[in-house]
Amino acid sequence: KLEGGVAVAPAVKVGLPTCPGGALSRMALGKRGVWCSGGRRPECPVGSAPFALATDRAVRTTAAALGLPAHPGARVYVLPCIAGHVGADTAGVILAETPHLSERIRLVVDVGTNAEIVLGNRDRLLAASSPTGPAFEGAQISCGQRAAPGAIERVRIDRETLEPRFKVIGAEPWSDEPGFAEAVREVGVTGVCGSGIVEVVAELFLAGVVTADGIVDGRMAARTPRVIADGRTFSYLLVDGQPRLAITQNDVRAIQLAKAALYAGVRLLMDRAGVEAVDDIRLAGAFGSQIDVLYAMVLGLIPDCDLSRVGSAGNAAGTGALIALLSGAARREIEEVVRRVEKIETAVEPRFQAHFVDAMAFPHRTAAYPNLERAVELPARRPGGDRGPEARAERRRRRAVAAGSREDR
């Protein structure tokens, strides 16, 4: 069973496999001086850049040596780290999802503040991390919150009226269904969690309220009172109540920055692998297991793929830890696989910035999404996007409209 993220065997043979990230490995093991058989400590501090691992090998020690509140005879097995920012949790994901055994090109992404990305098949496996930040988890969002009762987790926006309807954690009915007010009486409607912010931004894009370049289009104020002036920009009023929840221009930008960083990391691995498409995509982690894969693709978090081949992996790192707990052969397998994973450092790759800039658009500035277009109708892209003299004139017009709205109030 899982206790605090650590797998514990309830049988007589007691073991604790762990799969922390690289920095957590150093802090947890370094505090007790447990690094490898020689007990060697790293020469560089945790805050150094680029971050260096103390060891990339599996660590076998005891719970007593780490000061863990477990059976005195419990042994601890720490899965091997892959790179400085691709830790043992990614090794657990690989063990659970087995991309190294696949004949197809498989992309596995553990989505979080720092996204770990694995790409490849039985012939070659590459890994990298990408700094997505906390926006996908509801942070840096004006109305964001963690996934808890009261948080909006699902959103749909009518293409004609631009009116929203939404679903809240802790309540079964949607906001436009009978019984919704009674269902949320105790939990309320308190904010928007990660899956909710992904869906509302994607729905705003599909409805034409947000442009492909991420601009909340002030012209839509003529069609709906939900598009409101907000300083020099516009916002979309999702909930006109207490609290008042609006999706601001800065919220859209935060999602753009996060998804562009993730896509750029994926694209770097595809470039290195020499592939233009992937056959399967698995989204892992607490956030990755909750988002709708259609909306993930609409925003461009992931490259185009047959949607029937895109799915959630759940807590793949935890599953991998359980596999390691129960199988000595699996422990030997992942130690061998990690040694042949090719590590890509996104921070020093010159092409990362170019990929990042192109990925700021919804779903992407240049990449084709034929599978997505078969599943949903994407808004027509204006030639040149939000660049050029016409786009600059339009931005000046939007600012004038916003200023006029403020004067009217």
Side-chain angles (χ1 to χ4, degrees), residues 192-214:
V192 184
C193 67
S195 61
I197 192 65
V198 165
E199 291 199 6
V200 70
V201 173
E203 281 281 312
L204 287 171
F205 166 62
L206 292 175
V209 176
V210 169
T211 70
D213 287 290

Side-chain angles (χ1 to χ4, degrees), residues 2-369:
L2 285 176
E3 292 185 359
V6 175
V8 182
V12 175
K13 181 180 178 182
V14 182
L16 291 87
T18 64
C19 51
L24 287 177
S25 293
R26 280 192 52 170
M27 289 187 285
L29 301 179
K31 183 177 181 181
R32 300 283 172 172
V34 181
W35 291 109
C36 53
S37 58
R40 176 175 54 82
R41 288 179 177 272
E43 296 179 358
C44 55
V46 172
S48 61
F51 176 78
L53 291 170
T55 178
D56 57 2
R57 297 181 181 276
V59 174
R60 292 170 173 83
T61 183
T62 64
L66 295 178
L68 295 176
H71 189 284
R75 291 169 291 174
V76 174
Y77 176 80
V78 182
L79 277 74
C81 289
I82 298 172
H85 294 289
V86 188
D89 48 349
T90 306
V93 171
I94 293 174
L95 191 55
E97 291 300 310
T98 63
H100 58 292
L101 301 179
S102 173
E103 293 185 358
R104 302 164 64 90
I105 298 296
R106 180 172 292 181
L107 171 66
V108 184
V109 183
D110 192 341
V111 187
T113 302
N114 196 65
E116 288 85 26
I117 308 163
V118 177
L119 176 75
N121 57 12
R122 63 193 307 170
D123 299 320
R124 190 182 184 190
L125 212 57
L126 302 96
S129 68
S130 206
T132 53
F136 289 148
E137 297 173 349
Q140 295 182 342
I141 303 299
S142 62
C143 55
Q145 70 162 82
R146 67 184 183 89
I152 294 175
E153 61 172 342
R154 297 282 179 257
V155 179
R156 300 292 182 269
I157 295 176
D158 188 274
R159 302 294 185 267
E160 297 298 323
T161 65
L162 304 182
E163 282 296 300
R165 64 188 187 97
F166 52 85
K167 193 173 185 298
V168 172
I169 296 176
E172 282 302 317
W174 284 71
S175 60
D176 61 340
E177 294 177 346
F180 175 76
E182 292 77 11
V184 299
R185 182 170 291 128
E186 290 188 9
V187 299
V189 180
T190 55
V192 184
C193 67
S195 61
I197 192 65
V198 165
E199 291 199 6
V200 70
V201 173
E203 281 281 312
L204 287 171
F205 166 62
L206 292 175
V209 176
V210 169
T211 70
D213 287 290
I215 303 296
V216 180
D217 193 345
R219 292 175 299 181
M220 291 296 174
R223 288 182 53 188
T224 174
R226 290 191 175 271
V227 175
I228 56 176
D230 186 4
R232 298 179 65 183
T233 61
F234 289 85
S235 298
Y236 177 84
L237 186 59
L238 180 61
V239 178
D240 190 8
Q242 292 297 328
R244 194 168 187 253
L245 307 179
I247 306 303
T248 69
Q249 182 64 69
N250 285 339
D251 295 337
V252 178
R253 281 286 179 257
I255 293 299
Q256 283 183 282
L257 292 169
K259 75 96 176 182
L262 176 52
Y263 184 95
V266 172
R267 186 66 241 187
L268 279 179
L269 295 190
M270 293 174 66
D271 289 348
R272 186 66 64 92
V275 300
E276 290 299 319
V278 298
D279 300 314
D280 301 280
I281 301 177
R282 300 285 282 173
L283 300 177
F287 171 73
S289 64
Q290 296 299 319
I291 58 175
D292 187 309
V293 296
L294 171 65
Y295 291 112
M297 195 173 291
V298 167
L299 290 187
L301 272 75
I302 51 179
D304 186 61
C305 183
D306 182 345
L307 282 164
S308 67
R309 308 291 302 185
V310 184
S312 166
N315 183 11
T319 301
L322 289 172
I323 294 171
L325 169 66
L326 299 172
S327 171
R331 293 194 289 271
R332 291 188 293 272
E333 175 188 358
I334 193 58
E335 289 175 26
E336 186 278 327
V337 170
V338 164
R339 282 195 290 272
R340 60 185 177 88
V341 173
E342 299 176 40
K343 301 91 172 174
I344 309 299
E345 287 289 346
T346 56
V348 297
E349 281 286 338
R351 289 174 295 178
F352 181 86
Q353 189 64 25
H355 287 318
F356 177 85
V357 170
D358 285 341
M360 283 287 287
F362 296 136
H364 194 275
R365 190 174 304 280
T366 57
Y369 275 79

Side-chain angles (χ1 to χ4, degrees), residues 374-387:
R374 283 193 287 270
V376 65
E377 183 179 355
L378 297 177
R381 180 182 291 276
R382 294 195 298 267
D386 281 352
R387 298 177 177 181

